[in-house]
Amino acid sequence: MSSEQTATEAKSVRVEARNVGGISETEVEFKPGVTILAGRNATNRTSLLRAIMLALGSDQTSLKGDADHGEVELSIGGETYSRTMTRQGDSVVVDGNPYLEDAEAADLFAFLLEDNKARRAVARGDDLREIIMRPIDTEEIKAEIERLNAERREIDERLEEIQEEERRLPELEERKAELTNRIEEKKAELETAEDDLETLDGTVEESREDKEELESKLDDLRETRGELDSVRERIETENRSIESLEDEREDVESDLDELEGDADVGTTSIDQEVKRLRERKRTIDSMMGELQNIIQFNEEMLEGDRNDIRSALDQGEKQGGAVTDQLVDSTTVCWTCGSEVQTDQIETTLDQLRQFRREKLETIREIEDELDELRTERQEREERQRRRENLESRLRDIDDEIEQRRDRKDDLQNEQEELERRLEDLEIEVETLQSEEFGGILEQHREANQIEFEINRLNDDLKDVGEEIETIESELEERDDLKAQREEVKAALVDVRTRIDQIEERAVEQFNTHMETVLDLLDYGNLDRIWIERVERQVREGRRKVDRTQFELHIVRTNENGTAYEDTIDHLSESEREVTGLVFALAGYLANEVYETLPLIILDSLEAVDSDRISALVDYFSDYTDYSVIALLPEDEQALDQSYRRIREI
């Protein structure tokens, strides 16, 4: 059911269910548009809706009481999705491949049965923002913000490095020019030395064999001296690296000292406390639902909406000899014990129940605050532990590298000692070969060799400087790309940070727009407006106060004098509460873009709304989804468009 399909392009859906809810076995098909499940109560209409929900991904269904195995299969456009339920001891295991990978948003905003959390949240005055934001993975958003911040820091650090390197360019260019000049000077010195050597060669009479041997030894001397200088340079490099690593090790050890005491701090105690608080919250939520039902029932009795129960009480009074007609306006018959009581006594009790409910609601909010604080503490502990592990890992790497470099240094020092011994031997051999005539030649050879070595070393330095300059120039070319990348990361950060705000704003806007339209369509007498205001409130979070966004529901009525006043959700009729809850669910459906993955809405338990208003409501909802499946009583479905498909037998 792709969101890109229009109602005419979407495919028919076939559902087969066995042992689901109250269903033994059934097979139905519904087409794009509105499908009505028409029938009396206890005709398995809700069981069929829950079977459809099960195939789509919800777990809000049950296995038939006398069965150990149940299954449902949903087919659309050549694709089939199925799920099974198997009884194992006291529990039921659900398995299979549902249509949705994650059905949380659908459970909240598309599967609008009587116990739907979005509908009930409005009726009970619960935290509406929490309901809207529940499908949003705020932890994932925080992780994404963290990742983008880290990426931005890396880019900033890289840009700072490039800027620092750029500052070195003039110095390197100057060094390059200096080395070039020195090389030219040394080349001139070498040319002079070689000319002098050639002159000396022409004045000395010696045998060719002696001369060749001497020159060979001089070449060995020059080469050995070069190798020795190279080894000394490498030893110095290792010393500098070891010194740098030891400095880094001190920094890492200092950072570890700051984390002292965190090594054994885990999250087990926090997880246990989170579990305890969640259990407590679920218990209070259950109590709140029961409490709201009690309050709602008593309000309806006081307002005279439950004539069936009143008739039964009246009949009982007549059989007992009491005359209910003699009761005055200030008294009524108690619907729990049957005795005559003052109406204001019941109203006082109701006020106490409402106050108790408000206290429990505040308790839930305090628990949610504690849960948020515990999640933050757990995240901080996990971050400190990761930091500690990274530092310990880095410390091990540093120690390993220091050990390796010290080993290399030892090898180089051994090589240095060997070269020094070899150099000493060569110098003795050369001294032995030289004669009075060769004394000047030997000294001249030494001078020429030294100049050649210095030229080679200067050329190496020049090459290193040139490579550094090329690297920096290459990095400067990279800078524009990094700046562009940083702007992209910055824009992504803004988008992620405002994602929650955007969803909140969209939900409020959707609710207010649709609520205004629906109230005009349904014409609820003196009910002028129902709207949500997005406000910032300072709330206590553990030991501190923080600003938190809340959704405040406002209800505006007009009295018989034409004066507008603000009312509360408690004073809405059952019909008005149900409609408000349904519109709130529709706002969540649109704000969370549930239609992108599931263009279907299920409606049930609309008995509190009269037939004409149900018809207008169904027509309105059907404009926002390809499929609408609604369970209705026969007297209610007659008011709906006759072109809508009906399923009367399940």
Side-chain angles (χ1 to χ4, degrees):
M1 288 180 282
S2 168
S3 62
E4 297 177 356
Q5 295 173 321
T6 64
T8 56
E9 294 172 335
K11 308 294 184 182
S12 295
V13 179
R14 181 175 56 81
V15 177
E16 297 179 47
R18 283 172 287 280
N19 296 330
V20 178
I23 296 173
S24 296
E25 185 171 359
T26 191
E27 179 179 347
V28 297
E29 182 177 359
F30 57 92
K31 299 181 182 295
V34 177
T35 298
I36 300 171
L37 307 182
R40 291 291 172 189
N41 290 329
T43 54
N44 289 330
R45 294 171 305 145
T46 301
S47 291
L48 177 58
L49 293 178
R50 290 193 183 276
I52 296 170
M53 291 161 52
L54 177 66
L56 292 171
S58 176
D59 292 333
Q60 297 183 24
T61 190
S62 61
L63 182 63
K64 197 168 185 290
D66 59 355
D68 292 326
H69 181 80
E71 59 185 335
V72 62
E73 185 177 278
L74 182 147
S75 302
I76 177 172
E79 298 289 335
T80 299
Y81 307 89
S82 63
R83 297 188 85 191
T84 61
M85 292 183 294
T86 305
R87 196 180 305 281
Q88 293 184 1
D90 296 332
S91 62
V92 174
V93 177
V94 180
D95 199 3
N97 63 313
Y99 182 83
L100 297 172
E101 292 183 7
D102 183 357
E104 182 178 25
D107 276 331
L108 285 170
F109 308 121
F111 303 151
L112 308 184
L113 274 58
E114 182 178 19
D115 58 355
N116 172 264
K117 287 186 173 68
R119 290 175 67 173
R120 298 280 67 81
V122 172
R124 295 197 301 256
D126 289 348
D127 187 345
L128 300 184
R129 179 193 176 276
E130 189 275 333
I131 294 291
I132 287 291
M133 302 307 297
R134 190 175 295 178
I136 308 302
D137 191 342
T138 53
E139 292 302 317
E140 182 182 352
I141 291 175
K142 289 177 183 176
E144 178 69 2
I145 290 173
E146 225 174 273
R147 186 192 65 78
L148 289 169
N149 274 326
E151 185 177 351
R152 185 176 65 175
R153 283 194 298 271
E154 288 178 7
I155 294 172
D156 287 341
E157 288 171 4
R158 184 71 186 122
L159 286 170
E160 287 177 8
E161 289 173 4
I162 291 174
Q163 187 175 3
E164 189 63 33
E165 292 295 306
E166 186 181 22
R167 295 192 188 100
R168 294 180 57 232
L169 264 181
E171 179 186 342
L172 288 171
E173 293 288 357
E174 185 179 343
R175 174 66 174 156
K176 180 180 177 181
E178 178 187 345
L179 288 170
T180 302
N181 291 334
R182 288 184 61 191
I183 289 170
E184 292 302 320
E185 291 172 359
K186 288 296 178 182
K187 283 182 178 179
E189 288 182 25
L190 180 60
E191 187 177 352
T192 301
E194 287 175 343
D195 288 343
D196 292 343
L197 187 59
E198 187 177 346
T199 301
L200 287 173
D201 280 345
T203 61
V204 177
E205 294 181 1
E206 59 180 343
S207 66
R208 178 178 295 275
E209 187 176 328
D210 291 341
K211 183 179 180 182
E212 288 178 355
E213 183 180 359
L214 178 61
E215 288 179 346
S216 175
K217 293 296 181 183
L218 288 170
D219 288 340
D220 289 344
L221 189 65
R222 181 178 67 248
E223 184 178 341
T224 302
R225 187 176 285 116
E227 290 177 11
L228 182 59
D229 285 340
S230 177
V231 168
R232 285 171 178 162
E233 284 277 345
R234 289 165 63 191
I235 290 173
E236 184 59 33
T237 299
E238 293 297 338
N239 282 331
R240 287 195 297 270
S241 297
I242 290 170
E243 184 179 346
S244 175
L245 286 167
E246 287 174 340
D247 289 342
E248 185 180 354
R249 181 169 59 184
E250 288 181 7
D251 293 338
V252 172
E253 287 174 340
S254 175
D255 291 341
L256 276 171
D257 288 340
E258 292 178 6
L259 295 173
E260 190 65 34
D262 289 341
D264 300 325
V265 177
T267 60
T268 303
S269 60
I270 293 179
D271 292 338
Q272 291 172 345
E273 181 66 7
V274 167
K275 183 179 179 181
R276 185 189 69 79
L277 288 172
R278 283 175 175 167
E279 288 293 338
R280 187 182 173 202
K281 183 174 181 290
R282 276 194 289 268
T283 301
I284 297 176
D285 280 337
S286 177
M287 181 194 301
M288 292 282 284
E290 295 171 0
L291 190 58
Q292 178 59 31
N293 290 336
I294 293 170
I295 293 172
Q296 183 175 332
F297 172 78
N298 281 275
E299 286 174 343
E300 291 170 357
M301 289 296 296
L302 282 175
E303 293 169 4
D305 292 342
R306 302 302 295 263
N307 292 328
D308 51 345
I309 296 176
R310 284 187 171 278
S311 297
L313 288 170
D314 288 346
Q315 185 63 33
E317 288 292 324
K318 289 174 182 177
Q319 291 174 358
V323 183
T324 57
D325 293 340
Q326 294 177 352
L327 296 176
V328 294
D329 291 342
S330 62
T331 64
T332 186
V333 176
C334 177
W335 37 89
T336 58
C337 66
S339 62
E340 181 183 334
V341 295
Q342 293 291 324
T343 303
D344 58 1
Q345 289 180 339
I346 296 178
E347 289 176 342
T348 299
T349 302
L350 268 177
D351 287 339
Q352 292 172 345
L353 288 173
R354 292 188 187 108
Q355 177 60 30
F356 181 63
R357 182 184 168 282
R358 283 192 289 270
E359 291 172 358
K360 289 301 177 184
L361 183 59
E362 181 60 32
T363 300
I364 288 176
R365 287 171 179 157
E366 290 173 357
I367 291 173
E368 289 171 347
D369 291 342
E370 287 185 59
L371 284 169
D372 287 342
E373 187 173 3
L374 286 169
R375 292 188 192 102
T376 300
E377 184 178 350
R378 178 170 56 188
Q379 186 176 359
E380 289 174 353
R381 286 193 184 184
E382 289 172 347
E383 179 59 34
R384 289 199 300 271
Q385 184 61 26
R386 283 194 295 270
R387 170 71 173 154
R388 184 180 187 85
E389 289 171 357
N390 290 337
L391 288 171
E392 289 173 344
S393 175
R394 180 55 188 153
L395 192 60
R396 289 192 295 270
D397 292 343
I398 291 172
D399 287 338
D400 290 344
E401 189 173 353
I402 288 175
E403 185 177 353
Q404 291 170 8
R405 290 191 176 276
R406 282 175 175 165
D407 289 343
R408 284 200 295 269
K409 178 184 171 183
D410 290 342
D411 293 340
L412 288 169
Q413 286 176 332
N414 291 334
E415 186 178 351
Q416 177 185 1
E417 292 173 2
E418 178 63 30
L419 287 169
E420 286 174 344
R421 285 193 296 270
R422 184 179 170 193
L423 185 64
E424 185 178 349
D425 292 342
L426 283 170
E427 287 176 342
I428 292 172
E429 290 179 21
V430 169
E431 289 291 342
T432 302
L433 285 172
Q434 76 174 353
S435 62
E436 194 172 320
E437 290 84 7
F438 281 93
I441 296 175
L442 177 60
E443 195 59 38
Q444 197 65 38
H445 269 289
R446 284 179 177 171
E447 183 181 346
N449 289 341
Q450 183 62 32
I451 294 172
E452 284 183 358
F453 173 75
E454 291 178 4
I455 290 174
N456 289 335
R457 188 164 58 184
L458 288 170
N459 277 323
D460 289 340
D461 291 345
L462 182 62
K463 180 182 177 183
D464 291 341
V465 170
E467 289 175 353
E468 280 193 74
I469 291 173
E470 289 178 5
T471 300
I472 293 173
E473 289 175 344
S474 174
E475 289 172 347
L476 291 177
E477 294 175 2
E478 178 192 0
R479 182 164 55 184
D480 290 340
D481 293 337
L482 285 170
K483 286 182 177 179
Q485 187 179 345
R486 188 185 187 282
E487 288 303 313
E488 291 175 4
V489 172
K490 182 180 177 182
L493 262 173
V494 171
D495 179 62
V496 173
R497 282 172 174 161
T498 58
R499 190 178 301 166
I500 292 176
D501 287 342
Q502 290 169 349
I503 293 172
E504 290 177 357
E505 291 170 359
R506 191 161 62 241
V508 169
E509 181 182 356
Q510 295 280 6
F511 176 84
N512 292 341
T513 299
H514 292 296
M515 197 72 238
E516 181 179 4
T517 304
V518 168
L519 285 180
D520 286 343
L521 283 173
L522 304 189
D523 189 22
Y524 275 108
N526 68 341
L527 189 56
D528 294 344
R529 186 185 179 199
I530 299 177
W531 58 290
I532 287 176
E533 181 183 12
R534 184 169 172 260
V535 297
E536 292 288 330
R537 290 280 185 266
Q538 194 174 73
V539 298
R540 181 168 294 280
E541 193 174 89
R543 300 184 185 88
R544 56 199 176 98
K545 290 185 177 181
V546 296
D547 291 332
R548 179 172 291 178
T549 304
Q550 294 182 346
F551 286 1
E552 287 191 356
L553 185 68
H554 297 278
I555 299 166
V556 180
R557 289 187 182 276
T558 302
N559 62 22
E560 59 275 8
N561 298 323
T563 303
Y565 65 96
E566 185 152 338
D567 207 346
T568 66
I569 189 71
D570 294 331
H571 294 155
L572 290 182
S573 69
E574 186 181 3
S575 173
E576 292 166 342
R577 275 197 295 263
E578 288 299 332
V579 168
T580 304
L582 289 169
V583 173
F584 177 69
L586 177 63
Y589 181 83
L590 299 173
N592 284 278
E593 299 177 344
V594 182
Y595 53 83
E596 291 285 353
T597 54
L598 184 69
L600 173 145
I601 289 179
I602 288 173
L603 291 170
D604 190 19
S605 301
L606 302 180
E607 291 83 357
V609 185
D610 62 83
S611 300
D612 290 337
R613 287 183 173 127
I614 290 175
S615 177
L617 200 61
V618 169
D619 290 345
Y620 189 79
F621 267 62
S622 66
D623 289 339
Y624 297 95
T625 182
D626 292 347
Y627 300 82
S628 299
V629 185
I630 302 112
L632 292 175
L633 295 171
E635 56 267 29
D636 290 331
E637 62 94 1
Q638 292 174 7
L640 271 71
D641 192 324
Q642 293 304 308
S643 66
Y644 291 159
R645 176 177 171 81
R646 265 78 168 170
I647 296 176
R648 302 187 188 279
E649 293 185 5
I650 299 173

